[in-house]
């Protein structure tokens, strides 16, 4: 029995690690590159300012490789200028300098706790768009943003997975007494996140240990 309990604990601990990793795994890693974004952010200046280009080591190659991963999401964090202008498109220009391509199909635009604008794009769709435009993104030029003068650019990253699954809306209240009696007890468990998924297997493991102790 003790061996079975030990195996069960080992299995759930493995699932605990995996449940953390499936959420928001960064694909665009620090390697041999630099960007034009400093710790305090980059003030947008000029027409479609570059975030990184051919002079930034492997930045462009790493970025496009990350966008090619299944489920890749490009996240850009910005803030508007005094006139309220903010990010309009994710842009790319090849090393052939044959024009800029503007990808405007945003997945979502939200505001984070710091009051900054968080805009997301589908990385796979972005590359498909460039290919359809006849561009070879392996010919490194620059990755830029269509953003107005004076706006701030804080970060750009590529990730996959889900950051925080949306909480399901509560069902409408019913005035039918029979329906209320048949309804299951209210679930007070918060929306699942990567952290909750990680803690659940640990709780199972702890319960298994308690059972094992009681049976001694």
């Amino acid at each position: 029995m003790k061996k079975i309990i030990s195996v069960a604990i080992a299995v759930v601990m493995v699932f605990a690690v995996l449940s953390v990793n499936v959420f928001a795994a960064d694909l665009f890693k620090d390697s041999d590159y630099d960007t034009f974004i400093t710790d305090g952010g980059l003030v947008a200046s000029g027409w479609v300012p570059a975030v990184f280009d051919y002079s930034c080591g492997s930045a462009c190659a790493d970025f496009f490789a990350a966008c090619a991963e299944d489920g890749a999401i490009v996240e850009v964090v910005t803030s508007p200028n005094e006139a309220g202008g903010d990010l309009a498109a994710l842009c790319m220009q090849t090393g052939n300098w044959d024009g800029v391509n503007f990808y405007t199909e945003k997945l979502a635009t939200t505001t984070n706790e710091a009051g900054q604008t968080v805009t997301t794009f589908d990385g796979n769709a972005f590359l498909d768009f460039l290919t359809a435009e006849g561009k070879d993104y392996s010919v490194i030029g620059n990755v830029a943003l269509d953003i107005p003068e004076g706006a701030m650019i804080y970060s750009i990253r590529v990730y996959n997975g889900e950051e925080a699954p949306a909480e399901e809306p509560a069902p409408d209240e019913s005035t039918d007494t029979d329906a209320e009696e048949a309804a299951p007890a209210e679930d007070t468990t918060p929306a699942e996140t990567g952290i909750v998924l990680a803690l659940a297997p640990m709780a199972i493991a702890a319960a298994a240990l308690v059972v094992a102790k009681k049976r001694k």
Side-chain angles (χ1 to χ4, degrees), residues 88-169:
L90 181 62
C91 306
M92 179 266 185
Q93 184 176 29
T94 71
N96 295 323
W97 311 114
D98 51 359
V100 179
N101 296 90
F102 297 80
Y103 185 66
T104 60
E105 298 299 321
K106 303 174 184 177
L107 290 177
T109 301
T110 59
T111 302
N112 63 18
E113 294 180 354
Q116 300 163 340
T117 305
V118 180
T119 307
T120 53
F121 302 87
D122 183 324
N124 298 162
F126 175 53
L127 297 190
D128 289 343
F129 163 75
L130 296 176
T131 301
E133 292 291 305
K135 297 301 175 69
D136 179 3
Y137 48 83
S138 66
V139 181
I140 303 304
N142 65 56
V143 173
L145 301 175
D146 183 10
I147 189 168
E149 189 92 14
M152 291 294 298
I153 304 168
Y154 296 106
S155 67
I156 181 169
R157 72 179 182 122
V158 185
Y159 67 87
N160 65 1
E162 299 178 21
E163 296 229 296
E167 185 174 355
E168 294 183 3

Side-chain angles (χ1 to χ4, degrees), residues 74-97:
V74 180
E75 176 193 87
V76 185
V77 180
T78 60
S79 63
N81 60 12
E82 293 181 355
D86 212 330
L87 180 64
L90 181 62
C91 306
M92 179 266 185
Q93 184 176 29
T94 71
N96 295 323
W97 311 114

